[in-house]
Amino acid sequence: MSDGAIDLSSDAPKDASRDAARAKAYAMPLEQIDVADPALFQADAHWPYFERLRAEDPVHYCESSEHGPYWSITRYADIMTVDTTHQVFSSDSSFGGITIRNFDEDFVLPMFIAMDPPKHDIQRKTVSPIVSPVNLAMLEGTIRERVGGILDGLPIGETFDWVDKVSIELTTQMLATLFDFPWEERRKLTRWSDVTTAVPGAGIVDSEDQRRAELLECLAYFTELWNQRVNSTEPGNDLISMLAHGEATRNMPPFEYLGNILLLIVGGNDTTRNSITGGLLALSQNPAEEAKLRADPSLIPNMVSEIIRWQTPLAYMRRTAIEDFELSGKTIKKGDKVVMWYVSGNRDETAIDNPNAFLIDRPQARRHLSFGFGIHRCVGNRLAELQLKIIWEEILKRFPKIEVMGEPKRVYSSFVKGYESLPVRIPARL
């Protein structure tokens, strides 16, 4: 380890902070636990709360929270039950959608992930060709070229922010490609993604009014792009053209169009962006795994799945029960808000061996929950895996070491489990 780098594998202050969080989690009365508190995730202090819920109350009812009462589903098997029983557990925007916070009544944004069949299936099918095996094969060369350009432009021997220069830049370039979005304005996509998921007052937007104003700007921008492409005699192979010419989507109301655009922006941004950062952090914290990777790069595809499990870039998905349902001895009532904590299921000791360890050669690493299951399984999961695979292949070709120089700054959110910044340095070769 070079001078100035932080040894995150044996950081005593961090261990003390973890112990304090654990003591607090186990001292609190069970009924008072509210794992949807964004501050827990920003402090990386949520783990012991989920550990306790899995052990003592895996289908847990929180009666009082900022967004009202809700159920927390924390074990792998129970999450699978909810995720695959869409007839009972609805994601429809009319019931509140997929996040613990309901839409405002006058600003509901329908999107296909927040729809039930049959409309969900038809709209999803409209955009799925963008991530077909044939199209991914066509995109692979573009992704590799973009990754190479980004990595070759990084400063050597000085500290920089990995999130901004690598994670955000790659995912934003790919989003611009998928939308055929004006290249020089591509960082607008990053901004709209952040605005969509941000907690007001936490540094991204100051208020709900500001969020709404910026999302309406997004709608205006994408409406102009729609209008440019809807009358094209030769529809392009981009997401806007697919929506504009799709039989099920070409007559969408404006807010439904905005909802689907934001879904595609956030889905194409957060999973990959935060897994790129999370993977580097995980390897820094587990030097034996990094040594294993550099000795055997053929482990990269399996490592990608382990990174996505270990990071769990979206911590949860929410559903609403549309009829009474019994789950692990608890009766969930019609109308109840139900939160599937993927971040907890991916660390469930009853389903995954040694779940808190980061193991790049973990058997059956793809059995994680991060992409969801059932009809709402992430449509872009293969594209996310492809980008992560390529970036690690190209990193290993170029850099013998990337040093993490300090603690990450985490996002203030219980939905997006991600990073605002991570200081790193690439040492100069001797």
Side-chain angles (χ1 to χ4, degrees), residues 165-235:
K165 288 195 173 294
V166 180
S167 302
I168 289 177
E169 187 55 32
L170 175 60
T171 51
T172 304
Q173 287 190 16
M174 287 313 304
L175 275 175
T177 300
L178 296 176
F179 283 118
D180 191 14
F181 192 88
W183 190 254
E184 67 282 358
E185 297 196 292
R186 64 188 181 274
R187 284 282 175 136
K188 288 181 182 290
L189 297 168
T190 308
R191 174 65 187 175
W192 289 325
S193 180
D194 291 344
V195 168
T196 301
T197 60
V199 176
I204 304 295
V205 293
D206 295 330
S207 65
E208 286 298 336
D209 286 345
Q210 183 188 349
R211 185 210 304 277
R212 187 177 300 200
E214 292 202 37
L215 294 185
L216 290 175
E217 289 174 8
C218 174
L219 174 59
Y221 197 106
F222 271 90
T223 298
E224 185 175 335
L225 295 179
W226 173 291
N227 291 337
Q228 290 170 8
R229 294 172 201 181
V230 71
N231 295 318
S232 171
T233 54
E234 292 291 332

Side-chain angles (χ1 to χ4, degrees), residues 363-384:
Q364 297 182 303
R366 292 195 85 236
R367 286 186 64 246
H368 62 76
L369 292 167
S370 300
F371 290 132
F373 276 91
I375 65 169
H376 292 292
R377 183 168 173 82
C378 175
V379 69
N381 63 322
R382 296 293 187 180
L383 177 58

Side-chain angles (χ1 to χ4, degrees), residues 139-375:
L139 279 172
E140 183 165 356
T142 300
I143 297 170
R144 199 171 296 278
E145 181 182 343
R146 300 268 170 79
V147 167
I150 290 167
L151 296 179
D152 289 341
L154 295 176
I156 304 298
E158 63 183 70
T159 299
F160 64 91
D161 179 14
W162 180 263
V163 173
D164 180 64
K165 288 195 173 294
V166 180
S167 302
I168 289 177
E169 187 55 32
L170 175 60
T171 51
T172 304
Q173 287 190 16
M174 287 313 304
L175 275 175
T177 300
L178 296 176
F179 283 118
D180 191 14
F181 192 88
W183 190 254
E184 67 282 358
E185 297 196 292
R186 64 188 181 274
R187 284 282 175 136
K188 288 181 182 290
L189 297 168
T190 308
R191 174 65 187 175
W192 289 325
S193 180
D194 291 344
V195 168
T196 301
T197 60
V199 176
I204 304 295
V205 293
D206 295 330
S207 65
E208 286 298 336
D209 286 345
Q210 183 188 349
R211 185 210 304 277
R212 187 177 300 200
E214 292 202 37
L215 294 185
L216 290 175
E217 289 174 8
C218 174
L219 174 59
Y221 197 106
F222 271 90
T223 298
E224 185 175 335
L225 295 179
W226 173 291
N227 291 337
Q228 290 170 8
R229 294 172 201 181
V230 71
N231 295 318
S232 171
T233 54
E234 292 291 332
N237 189 34
D238 64 274
L239 287 167
I240 302 171
S241 294
M242 288 176 179
L243 291 171
H245 291 270
E247 186 175 345
T249 52
R250 61 190 178 199
N251 294 315
M252 287 187 294
F255 276 12
E256 190 170 310
Y257 177 46
L258 175 59
N260 276 315
I261 289 296
L262 295 176
L263 166 62
L264 294 167
I265 291 174
V266 173
N269 175 58
D270 280 309
T271 298
T272 311
R273 164 178 163 182
N274 291 311
S275 294
I276 290 171
T277 303
L280 182 63
L281 186 62
L283 289 168
S284 176
Q285 293 172 340
N286 297 273
E289 297 304 299
E290 182 179 357
K292 195 187 295 181
L293 170 66
R294 292 187 178 276
D296 184 5
S298 71
L299 290 170
I300 288 176
N302 199 80
M303 180 187 74
V304 164
S305 293
E306 177 69 347
I307 287 171
I308 295 169
R309 179 197 74 88
W310 187 89
Q311 177 60 33
T312 316
L314 291 178
Y316 74 83
M317 282 286 167
R318 171 260 180 106
R319 302 287 185 260
T320 302
I322 55 176
E323 60 185 67
D324 291 0
F325 190 86
E326 186 160 315
L327 183 65
S328 293
K330 300 288 186 71
T331 300
I332 296 171
K333 295 288 190 179
K334 178 181 178 179
D336 284 355
K337 194 179 293 188
V338 181
V339 178
M340 301 176 290
W341 290 102
Y342 295 152
V343 68
S344 176
N346 278 338
R347 302 294 179 103
D348 183 357
E349 306 84 346
T350 66
I352 301 171
D353 291 335
N354 196 12
N356 292 317
F358 176 75
L359 303 170
I360 68 169
D361 53 358
R362 178 182 294 279
Q364 297 182 303
R366 292 195 85 236
R367 286 186 64 246
H368 62 76
L369 292 167
S370 300
F371 290 132
F373 276 91
I375 65 169

